[in-house]
Amino acid sequence: IQFSAYDPGSNPDTGWAASPVPNYYMAAKGNSPNSGAPYDILFHFLNDTASVGYNWQYVAGQGNGFTAHIKTTIIEKGITMTVAGKSYSNVIHTRLELIYDVFGTMTPSGSYDYFIAKGVGIIKIRSDIGMFGMTFQACSDLVDYSIK
């Protein structure tokens, strides 16, 4: 799956998603809306065989010239939620904590909450990112899909 997001006045960002089961990944590459600096980060947002509370950490790439580290935790499994008026069951909720190595100091930058419905994929992503006094919050909801 390839997707693009565009914010008027900025460069388009491109992302890719892949799912070599049981692991699910999303890659993002573009320029920071705050600084214009490039980023290239891999989001390993799900291991669908892991139990609630399980977490993993990895070096995720580069952002704003700094090495990005991510810790992913399984928060909930088997939940039901409504997104854009549609109800989804058997949803897994994961949280990714983004941390940058800023000149040897591990600096938390924010978090991403992913909600993944079995048989559908990502139905919602909530982002809460902040660094150096700047914050950015976003929510992306699935509005339509088809399975072929």
Side-chain angles (χ1 to χ4, degrees):
I1 299 171
Q2 182 177 1
F3 61 92
S4 294
Y6 180 73
D7 181 14
S10 70
N11 294 325
D13 296 333
T14 302
W16 295 268
S19 58
V21 177
N23 295 293
Y24 296 80
Y25 301 88
M26 182 178 291
K29 185 174 186 167
N31 294 311
S32 169
N34 294 329
S35 68
Y39 61 85
D40 188 354
I41 298 176
L42 179 67
F43 296 90
H44 178 185
F45 63 88
L46 177 63
N47 174 337
D48 68 5
T49 62
S51 40
V52 172
Y54 182 79
N55 69 72
W56 58 95
Q57 299 177 44
Y58 58 98
V59 174
Q62 294 285 316
N64 297 309
F66 302 109
T67 300
H69 299 259
I70 290 182
K71 175 184 176 187
T72 303
T73 304
I74 305 290
I75 304 296
E76 303 171 282
K77 288 183 95 169
I79 63 172
T80 299
M81 69 184 304
T82 301
V83 176
K86 181 162 176 41
S87 182
Y88 298 91
S89 60
N90 204 10
V91 173
I92 300 173
H93 172 198
T94 63
R95 179 168 297 132
L96 287 70
E97 297 172 56
L98 178 61
I99 301 164
Y100 286 110
D101 183 347
V102 180
F103 307 118
T105 301
M106 299 307 276
T107 306
S109 176
S111 63
Y112 296 86
D113 284 85
Y114 280 75
F115 298 86
I116 307 101
K118 185 172 184 167
V120 176
I122 299 169
I123 58 172
K124 182 183 209 68
I125 303 172
R126 286 189 301 209
S127 308
D128 187 3
I129 305 299
M131 197 168 172
F132 305 124
M134 295 182 251
T135 59
F136 175 76
Q137 294 179 325
C139 187
S140 300
D141 292 351
L142 178 67
V143 293
D144 193 27
Y145 72 94
S146 67
I147 299 174
K148 298 179 182 187

